[in-house]
Amino acid sequence: MSQPLKGRLALVTGSGRGIGNAIALKLASQGADIIVNFFRHREAADKTARDIEAMGVKAQIIRANVGDAKKIDEMFDTIGNDWGHLDILINNAASGVGRSVMDVDLKAWDWTMDINAKAFLLCAQRAAKLMEGRGGKIVSISSLGSSFVLPTYAIVGISKAALEALTRYLAIELAPKGICVNGVAASAVETEALKFYIKEGFIKDTRQATPAGRMVIPEDVANVVAFLCSDEALMIRGQIIIVDGGTSVAPFVMQEQDRQ
Amino acid sequence: MSVEEQIKEIVAKIVHVDKSIITREGTFKDIKADSLDVVQALVAVEDAFEIEIPDEEAQKFQNFGDFVDYVERCLAAKERA
């Protein structure tokens, strides 16, 4: 199997479970050594690392709450000391509070913005320094809630909009350094975490509303991320690639078909 | 100050309640803490004691007593190490 990322080092934030896990495994399958960042689920991170090492590449686990600037600094200090460089940053870690706009308080706002938006700024700043002189790839993981209004998704959607804007600014500012920055925005992805946020029937409804006929799974996102990390995607800069099985371009078509 | 008192102080500050209403038998629900309060309390306690409380362990806590006991066990293990 071809290993286009052999010898590269990738940091995937929030890679113990779900989308981050799938991305870490995909990049590892292409030969990259992986830094598995996690915060709350050590057992899952341990398993991710074991699965990565089983593919014959290296894995290092770093626990850090990316909502805390000091912890981000410590994580990058460790990467700098242990590896001295970084080739790929996948800004995947996310959190949020499911509330309507009118119920958002400062605590929920700060928590969500710190983890979903501010962390990307701080991680990208530190990562870019470790990529100096060797180029690199940065991919942010967003969601359709950045552009569309989803029930009780207000703060997360707003934080993802900030993350997408930052993706574009970073893409232009880092282009002269040979660093390629893009994002991937998915619709609801079938993960363990999703089950905490959704109401009964959501998965069935989403499946029916998706032109591609099924929900997006973590591997769908991971495949696009891997492409954006390849040299074949070098001329894609500052773009947010949507992975939603066609939902966003045909919101009414499927509802109409359901009625027939 | 005992570990229990320190934890009560941290939780009270995050949930904005008087620490006297936090008892070993009580739960986060009893003091009207939401899910974000719970996560922030766990994080703050981790930082204060320089320990790790994985979600898998936190989910087993039935009340504050279990929370305190877990932290004390972590500290004892740290001491031994």
Side-chain angles (χ1 to χ4, degrees):
Chain A
M1 190 179 161
S2 110
Q3 294 208 307
L5 300 179
K6 194 171 173 52
R8 308 273 176 88
L9 177 65
L11 163 63
V12 185
T13 66
S15 49
R17 305 184 303 161
I19 298 169
N21 167 271
I23 294 170
L25 296 182
K26 180 73 184 180
L27 298 182
S29 77
Q30 300 200 339
D33 296 319
I34 309 289
I35 295 161
V36 177
N37 158 252
F38 82 102
F39 178 34
R40 305 286 331 149
H41 299 273
R42 179 173 285 281
E43 283 176 20
D46 285 343
K47 184 174 184 316
T48 303
R50 283 198 303 274
D51 291 345
I52 289 167
E53 285 168 344
M55 288 186 232
V57 293
K58 292 176 193 157
Q60 179 181 16
I61 298 174
I62 302 182
R63 183 174 191 256
N65 169 15
V66 296
D68 183 335
K70 192 166 154 266
K71 303 284 192 255
I72 289 177
D73 267 337
E74 288 170 4
M75 174 167 68
F76 277 94
D77 287 347
T78 302
I79 297 169
N81 290 335
D82 292 357
W83 301 83
H85 68 278
L86 186 67
D87 299 294
I88 296 167
L89 164 67
I90 310 298
N91 192 88
N92 166 73
S95 186
V97 184
R99 290 184 193 167
S100 65
V101 181
M102 297 308 288
D103 290 330
V104 171
D105 58 18
L106 272 184
K107 194 158 72 171
W109 174 274
D110 287 344
W111 174 266
T112 310
M113 294 299 277
D114 283 354
I115 294 174
N116 296 0
K118 191 163 81 182
F120 182 36
L121 170 72
L122 300 175
C123 286
Q125 286 174 338
R126 289 293 305 262
K129 290 198 176 93
L130 288 171
M131 291 174 182
E132 250 166 45
R134 54 193 294 129
K137 308 282 193 315
I138 297 177
V139 181
S140 63
I141 305 301
S142 186
S143 73
L144 282 191
S146 62
S147 310
F148 298 91
V149 173
L150 308 177
T152 70
Y153 200 73
I155 321 183
V156 183
I158 293 162
S159 69
K160 293 294 191 182
L163 172 127
E164 289 185 9
L166 183 53
T167 301
R168 290 186 280 274
Y169 278 92
L170 284 168
I172 303 311
E173 204 167 310
L174 297 179
K177 294 179 187 292
I179 298 171
C180 205
V181 187
N182 288 292
V184 175
S187 53
V189 180
E190 206 166 349
T191 61
E192 281 299 307
L194 182 72
K195 291 171 191 161
F196 285 99
Y197 298 105
I198 56 171
K199 288 181 182 156
E200 213 183 314
F202 177 88
I203 289 180
K204 185 168 162 267
D205 292 347
T206 306
R207 202 174 287 143
Q208 281 175 352
T210 306
R214 64 164 173 82
M215 281 196 72
V216 174
I217 58 173
E219 288 72 18
D220 296 319
V221 180
N223 288 338
V224 179
V225 169
F227 170 65
L228 291 173
C229 290
S230 75
D231 288 341
E232 290 168 348
L234 271 180
M235 289 309 283
I236 302 175
R237 303 287 174 118
Q239 300 301 314
I240 308 297
I241 311 295
I242 293 175
V243 180
D244 70 349
T247 314
S248 59
V249 290
F252 305 111
V253 173
M254 298 313 284
Q255 288 173 21
E256 190 62 32
Q257 286 176 355
D258 285 347
R259 275 196 288 273
Q260 287 168 0
Chain B
M1 204 190 306
S2 69
V3 169
E4 184 171 330
E5 283 306 305
Q6 288 180 72
I7 291 175
K8 280 182 182 175
E9 209 155 81
I10 291 167
V11 172
K13 200 172 161 193
I14 287 168
V15 188
H16 298 295
V17 293
D18 193 292
K19 75 171 184 178
S20 63
I21 70 164
I22 303 171
T23 64
R24 280 189 66 88
E25 296 72 33
T27 66
F28 276 106
K29 202 175 168 188
D30 293 336
I31 60 169
K32 297 189 171 40
D34 63 23
S35 58
L36 181 54
D37 290 327
V38 176
V39 177
Q40 290 192 319
L42 289 170
V43 174
V45 169
E46 286 179 334
D47 286 347
F49 294 100
E50 294 181 341
I51 57 166
E52 185 182 325
I53 311 170
D55 273 6
E56 299 88 355
E57 294 299 326
Q59 279 159 9
K60 294 177 196 162
F61 301 160
Q62 299 287 320
N63 51 37
F64 285 115
D66 289 346
F67 187 7
V68 171
D69 292 345
Y70 182 82
V71 172
E72 284 176 338
R73 282 200 301 276
C74 286
L75 293 173
K78 210 166 85 169
E79 190 91 353
R80 284 195 300 272

